[in-house]
């Protein structure tokens, strides 16, 4: 599609502006306008025309939206379409009469392009060009993205991809993180779900709690009822018990009061006074009577008390005897005990004597016993030693027998030392000797190959490394001198040759000039004349020789004719020379010049030839010299290389020889070691020639042999040790036997001396008995001494008592008790007499005082006696008592009734009386005693049941406290789940976009890179006037880079190392290549370029126009600029005839 | 016969949460969380206020997998309120109740009569001359036709059949106790109180066979007013059947026609208008939760698909500005690119490359590999709807995923360029 005519009817600042673009190629049109002329507006107009007005168009500052119009005539493939565009949501395409048009034909021409695609791909201003350049630099870490950016017109694929990744990452990633929105929602979901579960009250838990609560309540009620019944019963019994005394008292009182209904009473105060007076009288009578009685008694007792003065005098002696009696009594007690002990010991002595067979003889003396004890001990030790030795010996012999058998059977392998030495030697070679040997062989082979290759490189020289080494050394100075000489000669030959060439050129020029002069046919040079004459003279010499007969002419007629022609020619030349003397002179000069030049040329040729000859001579000499020395014939320069190769070959050969030697040595060591091993194992054949298996087998055999030898040595050592032990035992037994015989002899001697006959075998026991016998006999003696002392003390005491009794005039047999009795009686009687005398006197005084008191009291009672009808004083007391009793009974009755009422638990007196009457006090008491524990139990049960019920009630009530917590948490979880859903959807979109973009970039790179890059490289070469020859992608660095290849191909420049202008050109090349691809693909839309060449110098701007003109062969290009010189440049490029230009400033 | 009135409800699903509604600033979370309870409260209040003689609950008091006794106790308390008002309740056990452990453990008040599950059971209210026939589900599954085994109508009584059924199949509802209308009619009852289907439906007028719907919509599939049916009977003849609404939050689908919409500003205007219209159209004084679906052919299609998160925020902001009782559940972009623009992607350039994305095996494999762990890790999220990308991914339709990604990407790259 192309635009034939653009009509800015009413748009922006334009009104009725017409831009016409002629047909034909190149379809390149420059639209020139200074700043503010409306270039941007015009470009926007093209977009708006093709795709409709933008919703918020900013080109309504002059005409309102409804008035805006853009018209155009567009064409494609011979079809033409006139359209106009107005601003409307629908039906914006209209015809000349503002009637709505079908958009189909226009859409078909747009080939499905959108405004956005058109802006990106077909509309390029300098800003976007720069952005594109920057995008390439920024995207240099990925050429694919850079090309994608260039191809798509996008500037920040990298940012777009990064943004997508970041957006996706902010939502979800395999590793959860707090900042991710999905993670947040998910955590909220998990927390809420857990809360919902935790806050739920399980039906089972609830029913269990409810049942428990109800059961506990029932249990509590039952316990309380039971307790209340007991309490009630206890209350009744308690009440009856409480009122029982009062009830009984009441009954008694009522009975008493009934019995004394007519008795006289008196006021309480008078009663008190009467009673007091009567008390005084009675007291006085009692006192007098008592005092009289006591007085008489005191006198009688005084008369009867005895007086014993003798006893009182001997009181101290009696006390002394009493003290002594204690010791005597204790002695008597001890005597009995001592007698028993003595009897026991005597019996033991008799027993021991009988056991020892001593009858009445004294036991052996202490030193003898001590000696006997030593002998018995020594004898026992010797006997025990003999027994132990016998056991040891038996044991040793038992062990010795199998050892001897084993040693006799042992077969020691022979040649073990040889094997051990071979194994040690093989081990010293190292575990990897086989591998090492193989490697050494390989290395040697490789080195030989390398040496052979190095020798081959020395061609054409042939021979072996020894031949090489035999070759003499070649000093660098010698080669350098020869090389320099050859170079000098070559240089001289080259200079001479150059001179020859220059001379030839000069001669050609002279010949040309001469031809120019001579070509007209007028000028004749002296040489021409001389030549013509010479030709004439030459023929004349032949003719003259014929004339003189010295020669014959083959064809005289022809010769004559030829001669006359040559004469004419010479004459003609002479004539012309004279006729055109000036030209001929010039020609002559030329000829002379030519002669000089030719001379110089000849000299130069000679120098050249000389130099070449000298060079050949030197070369030949050098070659002869070389061959003489045995080197191949070659130039000095090459010889240097050859010598280097020779050194290398020698070194390589040496290396090969060294490695071979090493391999051989290694092999020899290995073989020697292996042979030694095999010799030590003659019965064993290896499967290959490696050392390792042989060594392994040898080591196994060595280990076995060594183990066997070790076992043999150990057995041998043990046998020797056992033999020694047996010998030692025999010796020790002999010594012990001697000792025993000696001890027995001495034992018998001592026995004889002591007069006893104890056997040595039970010596220890017998000697113990002898010792005991001695101890017991000593103890019997001590006991008898003590018993005799006690008897003496008792006799002394009894004599003293009898003596004292006699002294104080005692009658009958005196004893200590009787003495003490008399002493006590005498003391008491003396004291009693003193006391009785004093009492007798005091009682008499009391009799007198009582008589006086009675008289006074009788006087006080006289008025009362008269009131009572002069009754006797003795009757007064009964009257008072009667009065007082009746009143007391009345008071008591009231108090008792009060008590009953108070303790009656509110029951009436009658009810209480009824209960009391019907009760059995004994049964009630028994029941009451039984109730207390029952009640305590019942109370405990109530308390326990109440606690259980309370706990169950609290637990049950707690279950209802959650309310709708679980439901709220479940709802919260649903909210979070919904958010998770939304976030997951968002993530999926972003991540799939990121994946798709990566894929698109890669796909684009793969598919488009090569053709696009090749085309862009070509365009870039042209735009940079060949300064850059191509574009290349450097895959060598870690990330691919887009590089510009310099003119000579020697350097590749990174984009960010290019100047602004070159970067602009690079991006333009990429963009134009992309546009070409789009156009080739069928999207032939006008390409709008807005001042793209700002950073281009004139030459490159020209190249830019050439490239655009070429593209304009396939699609229309509208080039907007405010630079007049660019417009002129475009004209130069396409030619005035084909140039198309619209000026906006003239159109507004 | 006397005059009486009763309330017929079903599918209470007490304390089952509303799904698909993500929390956001301004959303009355407390109301949302308590919605089923509030609706149930409304039902109880209404029954007391209207002085109904009895209430029929035709199944599904609870969600089957809900195990919180707190919910059951709450229900029992509410039943207690009806008891105080002297209102009997006839409860049929639905598929959810059969599975519910709460149902089994609950201390039912004395006014609640529960139909047995061994065989059909009849409750007679002699004072009103009413016979209620019902058969509770013994198990969660009820594949048999229960209706045909219901007893014949009691003579001289007003017969009500109570049944939890999907009849001969209802879209979106699993099949339970399947039966035909003819089976119901053959019983000769005066009224069939059905449950199970969550939308009000008068299946038949003579005799009335009615699904009252559930009492509170719980997700976007349960849009519109929810409640029960108030039935008045005079001298043994139904005099009126009136739907009554108890829901506290209502779900609505709001479709925004974006056809020909060229700018985002234009789109925002349409979005606001559509939301305002939806709020105005819902005259009841209840909260409204809207699912916004953008539809139509617009050049913004790609942009919209690429900025769903922003659109959700915008819609929430608009909703908040329009009414304090309007909230957004979700914004779905179902717009398409105009035909002309669709052809645009067919040329051999980058756009064409993206357009071919859906057919590129390499890309589809890369997508599957990259996103498979994600699908596994996010399995707990709200299940996707059929048009969602996630649905496509979950069924392995990577081509669909690539298609959606590429079209959004094209727009995004265009913007970025």
């Amino acid at each position: 599609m192309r635009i034939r005519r653009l009509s800015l009817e009413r748009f922006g600042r334009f009104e009725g502006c017409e831009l016409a673009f002629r047909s034909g190629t190149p379809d390149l049109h420059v639209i020139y306008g200074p700043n503010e002329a409306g270039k941007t507006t015009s470009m926007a107009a093209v977009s708006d025309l093709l795709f409709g007005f933008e919703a918020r168009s900013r080109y309504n500052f002059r005409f309102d939206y409804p008035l805006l119009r853009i018209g155009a005539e567009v064409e494609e493939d011979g079809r033409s379409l006139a359209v106009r565009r107005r601003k409307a949501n629908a039906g914006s395409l209209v015809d000349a009469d503002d009637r709505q048009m079908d958009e189909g034909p226009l859409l078909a021409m747009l080939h499905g392009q959108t405004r956005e695609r058109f802006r990106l791909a077909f509309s390029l201003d300098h800003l976007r060009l720069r952005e594109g350049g920057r995008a390439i630099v920024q995207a240099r870490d990925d050429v694919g993205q850079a090309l994608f950016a260039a191809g798509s017109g996008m500037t920040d694929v990298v940012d777009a991809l990064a943004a997508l990744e970041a957006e996706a990452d902010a939502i979800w990633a395999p590793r959860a993180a707090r900042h991710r929105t999905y993670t947040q929602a998910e955590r909220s979901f998990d927390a809420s779900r857990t809360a919902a579960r935790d806050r739920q009250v399980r039906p089972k838990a609830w029913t269990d709690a409810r049942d428990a609560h109800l059961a506990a309540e029932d249990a509590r009620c039952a316990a309380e009822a039971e307790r209340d019944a007991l309490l009630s019963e206890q209350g009744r019994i308690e009440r009856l018990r409480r009122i029982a005394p009062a009830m009984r008292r009441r009954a008694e009182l009522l009975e008493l009061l009934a019995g004394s209904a007519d008795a006289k009473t008196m006021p309480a105060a008078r009663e008190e006074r009467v009673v007091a007076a009567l008390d005084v009288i009675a007291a006085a009578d009692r006192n007098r009577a008592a005092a009289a009685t006591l007085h008489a008694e005191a006198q009688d007792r005084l008369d009867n008390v005895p007086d014993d003065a003798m006893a009182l005098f001997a009181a101290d002696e009696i006390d002394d005897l009493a003290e002594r009696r204690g010791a005597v009594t204790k002695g008597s007690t001890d005597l009995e005990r001592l007698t028993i002990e003595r009897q026991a010991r005597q019996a033991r002595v008799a027993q021991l004597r009988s056991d020892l067979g001593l009858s009445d003889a004294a036991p052996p003396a202490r030193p003898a016993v001590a000696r006997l004890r030593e002998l018995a001990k020594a004898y026992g030790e010797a006997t025990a030693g003999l027994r132990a030795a016998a056991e040891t010996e038996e044991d040793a012999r038992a062990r010795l027998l199998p050892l001897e058998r084993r040693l006799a059977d042992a077969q020691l392998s022979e040649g073990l030392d040889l094997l051990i030495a071979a194994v040690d030697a093989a081990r010293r070679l190292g575990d990897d000797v086989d591998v090492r040997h193989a490697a050494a062989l390989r290395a040697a082979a490789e080195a030989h190959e390398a040496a052979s290759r190095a020798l081959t490189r020395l061609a054409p020289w042939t021979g072996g490394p020894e031949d090489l080494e035999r070759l003499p050394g070649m000093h660098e100075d010698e080669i350098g001198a020869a090389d320099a000489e050859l170079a000098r000669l070559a240089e001289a030959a080259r200079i001479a040759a150059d001179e020859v060439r220059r001379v030839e050129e000069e001669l050609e020029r002279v010949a040309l000039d001469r031809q120019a002069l001579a070509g007209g046919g007028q000028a004749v040079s002296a040489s021409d004349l001389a030549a013509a004459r010479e030709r004439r003279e030459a023929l004349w010499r032949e003719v003259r020789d014929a004339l003189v007969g010295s020669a014959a002419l083959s064809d005289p007629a022809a010769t004559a004719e030829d001669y006359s022609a040559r004469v004419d020619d010479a004459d003609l030349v002479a004539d012309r020379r004279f006729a055109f003397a000036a030209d001929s002179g010039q020609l002559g000069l030329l000829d002379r010049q030519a002669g000089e030049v030719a001379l110089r040329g000849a000299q130069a040729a000679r120098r050249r030839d000389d130099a070449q000859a000298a060079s050949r001579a030197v070369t030949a000499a050098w070659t002869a010299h070389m061959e003489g020395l045995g080197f191949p014939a070659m130039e000095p320069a090459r010889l240097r290389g050859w010598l280097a190769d020779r050194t290398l070959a020698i070194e390589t050969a040496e290396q090969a020889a060294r490695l071979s030697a090493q391999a051989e040595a290694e092999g020899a060591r290995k073989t020697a070691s292996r042979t030694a091993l095999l010799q030590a194992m003659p019965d064993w054949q290896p499967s290959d020639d490696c050392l390792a298996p042989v060594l392994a087998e040898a080591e196994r055999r060595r280990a076995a042999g060594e183990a066997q030898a070790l076992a043999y040595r150990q057995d041998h050592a043990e046998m020797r040790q056992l033999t020694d032990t047996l010998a030692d035992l025999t010796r020790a037994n002999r010594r012990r036997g001697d000792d025993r015989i000696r001890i027995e002899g001495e034992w018998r001697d001592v026995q004889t001396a002591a007069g006893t006959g104890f056997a040595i075998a039970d010596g220890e026991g017998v000697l113990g008995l002898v010792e005991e016998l001695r101890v017991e006999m000593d103890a019997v003696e001590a006991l008898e001494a003590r018993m005799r002392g006690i008897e003496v003390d008792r006799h002394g005491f009894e004599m003293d008592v009898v003596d004292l009794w006699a002294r104080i005039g005692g009658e009958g047999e005196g004893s200590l008790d009787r003495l003490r009795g008399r002493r006590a009686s005498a003391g008491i009687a003396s004291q009693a007499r003193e006391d009785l005398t004093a009492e007798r006197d005091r009682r008499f005084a009391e009799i007198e005082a009582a008589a006086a008191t009675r008289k006074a009291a009788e006087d006080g009672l006289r008025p009362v006696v008269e009131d009572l009808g002069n009754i006797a004083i003795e009757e007064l007391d009964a009257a008072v008592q009667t009065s007082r009793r009746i009143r007391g009974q009345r008071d008591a009755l009231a108090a008792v009734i009060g008590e009953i009422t108070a303790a009656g638990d509110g029951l009436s007196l009658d009810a209480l009386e009824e209960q009391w009457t019907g009760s059995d006090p004994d049964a009630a008491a028994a029941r009451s005693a039984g109730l207390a524990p029952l009640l305590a139990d019942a109370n405990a049960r109530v308390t326990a049941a109440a606690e259980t019920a309370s706990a169950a009630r609290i637990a049950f009530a707690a279950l209802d406290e959650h309310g709708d917590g679980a439901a709220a948490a479940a709802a919260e979880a649903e909210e979070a789940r919904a958010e998770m859903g939304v976030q997951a959807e968002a993530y999926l979109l972003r991540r799939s976009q990121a994946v798709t973009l990566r894929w698109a970039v890669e796909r684009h790179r793969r598919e488009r890179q090569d053709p696009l890059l090749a085309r862009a490289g070509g365009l870039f070469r042209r735009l940079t006037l060949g300064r850059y020859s191509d574009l290349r992608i450097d895959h060598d660095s870690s990330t691919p880079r887009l590089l510009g290849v310099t003119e000579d191909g020697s350097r590749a420049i990174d984009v960010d190392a290019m100047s602004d202008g070159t970067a602009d050109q690079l991006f333009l090349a990429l963009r134009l290549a992309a546009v070409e691809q789009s156009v080739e693909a069928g999207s032939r839309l006008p390409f709008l370029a807005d001042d793209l060449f700002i950073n281009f110098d004139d030459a490159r701007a020209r190249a830019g126009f050439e490239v655009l003109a070429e593209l304009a062969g396939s699609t229309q290009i509208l080039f907007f600029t405010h630079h007049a010189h660019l417009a002129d440049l475009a004209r130069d490029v396409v030619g005035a005839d084909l140039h198309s230009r619209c000026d906006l400033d003239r159109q507004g | 016969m006397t005059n009486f009135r009763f309330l017929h409800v079903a599918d209470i699903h007490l304390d089952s949460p509303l799904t698909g509604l993500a929390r956001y600033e301004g959303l009355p979370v407390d109301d949302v969380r308590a919605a089923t309870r509030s609706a149930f409260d409304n039902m109880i209040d209404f029954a007391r206020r209207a002085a109904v003689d009895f209430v029929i609950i035709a199944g599904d008091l609870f969600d089957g997998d809900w195990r919180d006794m707190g919910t059951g106790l709450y229900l029992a308390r509410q039943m207690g309120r009806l008891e105080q008002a002297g209102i009997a309740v006839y409860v049929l056990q639905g598929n959810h109740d059969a599975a519910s452990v709460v149902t089994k453990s609950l201390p039912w008040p004395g006014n609640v009569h529960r139909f047995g599950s061994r065989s059909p059971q009849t409750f007679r209210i002699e004072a009103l001359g009413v016979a209620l026939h019902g058969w509770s589900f013994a198990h969660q599954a009820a594949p048999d036709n229960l209706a045909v085994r219901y007893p014949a109508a009691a003579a001289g009584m007003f017969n009500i059949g109570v049944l939890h059924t999907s009849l001969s199949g209802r879209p979106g509802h699993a099949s339970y106790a399947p039966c035909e209308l003819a089976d119901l009619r053959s019983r000769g009852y005066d009224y069939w109180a059905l449950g199970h289907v969550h939308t009000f439906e008068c299946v038949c007028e003579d005799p009335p066979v009615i699904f009252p719907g559930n009492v509170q919509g719980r997700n976007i599939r349960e849009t519109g007013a929810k409640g029960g049916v108030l039935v008045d009977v005079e001298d043994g003849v139904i005099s009126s059947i009136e739907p009554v609404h108890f829901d506290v939050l209502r779900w609505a689908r709001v479709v925004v026609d974006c056809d020909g919409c060229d700018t985002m500003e234009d789109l925002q205007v349409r979005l606001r208008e559509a939301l305002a219209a939806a709020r105005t159209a819902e005259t009841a004084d209840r909260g409204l939760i809207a699912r916004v679906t953008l539809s139509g052919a617009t050049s913004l299609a790609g942009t919209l698909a690429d900025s769903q998160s922003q659109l959700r925020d915008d819609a929430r902001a608009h909703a908040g500005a329009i009414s304090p009782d309007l909230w957004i559940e979700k914004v779905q972009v179902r717009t398409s690119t105009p035909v002309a623009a669709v052809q645009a992607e067919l040329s051999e350039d980058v756009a064409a490359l993206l357009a071919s994305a859906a057919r590129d095996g390499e890309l589809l494999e890369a997508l599957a590999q990259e996103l498979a762990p994600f699908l596994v890790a996010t399995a707990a999220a709200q299940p996707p709807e059929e048009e969602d990308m996630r649905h496509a991914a979950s069924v392995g339709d990577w081509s669909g995923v690539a298609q959606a990604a590429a079209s959004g990407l094209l727009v995004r790259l265009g913007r970025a360029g």
Side-chain angles (χ1 to χ4, degrees), chain A residues 711-750:
Chain A
Y712 181 84
R713 275 200 304 279
Q714 282 170 349
D715 285 352
H716 199 266
E718 193 176 355
M719 189 181 80
R720 203 162 51 233
Q721 194 188 354
L722 285 173
T723 316
D724 293 350
T725 306
L726 283 173
D728 289 350
L729 280 175
T730 312
R731 273 195 304 279
N733 281 349
R734 208 164 37 240
R735 197 177 60 241
R736 283 197 194 95
D738 296 348
D739 284 355
R740 223 152 61 130
I741 293 165
R742 183 180 49 76
I743 290 166
E744 280 173 331
E746 194 174 341
W747 175 271
R748 275 192 301 278
D749 297 347
V750 176

Side-chain angles (χ1 to χ4, degrees), chain A residues 55 112 116-117 167 182 201-203 206 966 972 974-975 977 979 985 987 989-990 992-993 999 1003 1006, chain B residues 19 22-23 33 67-69 105 107 263 305-306 312 344 349 360 362 374 378 382 389-390 412 414:
Chain A
E116 202 55 40
R117 292 283 313 133
E167 284 171 31
Y182 184 89
V201 178
R202 301 288 167 152
W206 185 85
E972 222 168 307
E974 277 307 321
E975 289 162 15
R977 206 157 81 96
E979 184 62 24
E985 185 71 12
Y987 172 83
L989 177 65
R990 289 292 172 257
S992 60
Q993 284 181 342
W999 162 83
R1003 237 334 259 289
R1006 231 162 38 212
Chain B
T19 55
R23 194 185 331 168
R33 290 168 191 171
R67 324 181 137 263
D68 186 15
M69 198 59 195
S105 320
T263 64
D306 199 45
R312 184 168 73 146
D349 52 17
D360 188 284
E362 182 190 354
F374 163 76
T378 58
Q382 177 87 12
M389 265 178 101
R390 210 146 53 88
R412 195 180 177 93

Side-chain angles (χ1 to χ4, degrees), chain A residues 359-612:
Chain A
S359 67
D360 290 342
R366 281 182 199 282
V369 171
R371 182 58 195 154
L372 285 174
R373 195 179 289 282
E374 281 170 13
L375 289 172
K377 190 176 170 208
Y379 183 84
E381 282 173 356
T383 308
L386 279 169
R387 202 175 304 122
E391 282 173 12
T392 309
E393 188 177 346
E394 191 180 346
D395 184 38
R397 292 200 188 285
R399 281 168 59 198
L400 196 55
L401 203 63
L403 270 181
E404 281 168 350
R405 265 204 305 277
R406 251 200 332 267
L407 285 172
D409 295 346
Q411 291 178 343
L412 282 183
S413 55
E414 289 180 5
L416 185 60
D417 292 345
L418 200 62
L419 182 67
I420 289 170
V423 166
D424 287 345
R427 273 186 192 153
R428 275 196 296 278
L429 290 181
D431 292 342
D432 56 344
V433 63
D434 289 324
V435 178
R436 243 171 32 233
H437 181 222
L441 286 176
R442 212 161 38 244
E446 283 166 6
H448 277 298
E449 220 171 288
S452 159
R453 277 199 302 276
L455 280 177
T456 316
R457 266 206 300 282
L458 293 177
W461 185 88
T462 54
E466 302 80 12
D467 303 330
L468 263 191
E469 279 178 32
R470 269 198 297 279
L471 284 180
M474 195 72 179
H475 199 271
E476 173 58 28
D477 289 352
E478 195 180 354
I479 301 170
D483 198 17
E485 179 60 17
L486 280 171
R488 191 186 60 73
L489 289 171
E491 180 65 17
R494 194 183 62 75
I495 291 168
D498 283 354
E499 180 69 14
V500 169
R501 197 161 52 250
R502 264 199 308 281
V503 164
E504 282 169 353
E505 283 170 0
E506 210 168 334
L507 278 175
E508 281 173 12
R509 186 177 54 77
V510 169
L512 272 177
D513 288 352
R514 199 172 169 284
Q515 199 179 356
L517 280 176
Q522 279 84 18
V524 175
S525 70
S527 59
D528 288 345
L529 182 59
R533 282 178 177 161
E534 175 53 30
R535 281 196 301 277
R536 186 192 65 193
E537 285 304 319
L539 198 54
W540 167 245
R541 274 194 295 276
E542 286 180 34
V543 170
R544 196 186 60 191
D545 289 345
L547 287 176
V548 294
S550 60
L553 292 168
S554 55
D555 184 358
T559 305
E561 198 173 331
D562 193 15
Y563 179 71
S564 108
R566 288 189 187 187
V567 170
D568 289 348
D569 185 38
D571 290 346
L572 184 68
V573 168
D575 291 348
R576 271 184 24 220
R577 180 169 167 79
F578 289 113
F580 300 96
D583 285 354
S584 299
Q586 182 67 27
L587 203 59
L589 205 61
L590 281 173
D591 286 345
R592 198 163 56 244
Q593 203 175 347
E596 285 168 7
V597 169
L599 178 64
R600 222 164 63 226
Q603 287 168 344
R606 206 162 47 243
R607 279 200 306 280
R608 183 190 63 196
D609 295 344
D610 290 350
Q612 284 171 346

Side-chain angles (χ1 to χ4, degrees), chain A residues 3-22:
Chain A
I3 300 171
R4 185 191 292 167
R5 177 183 56 77
L6 181 65
S7 177
L8 305 171
E9 291 177 38
R10 286 186 294 282
F11 187 73
R13 58 182 287 278
F14 292 110
E15 183 180 16
C17 172
E18 293 283 334
L19 301 172
F21 308 115
R22 57 115 186 84

Side-chain angles (χ1 to χ4, degrees), chain A residues 971 975, chain B residues 16-18 21 27-36 249 289 327:
Chain A
E975 289 162 15
Chain B
S16 72
L18 274 53
L21 188 57
L27 186 73
V29 285
D30 291 340
D31 294 357
V32 168
R33 290 168 191 171
T36 55
L249 294 170
I289 302 168
W327 306 287

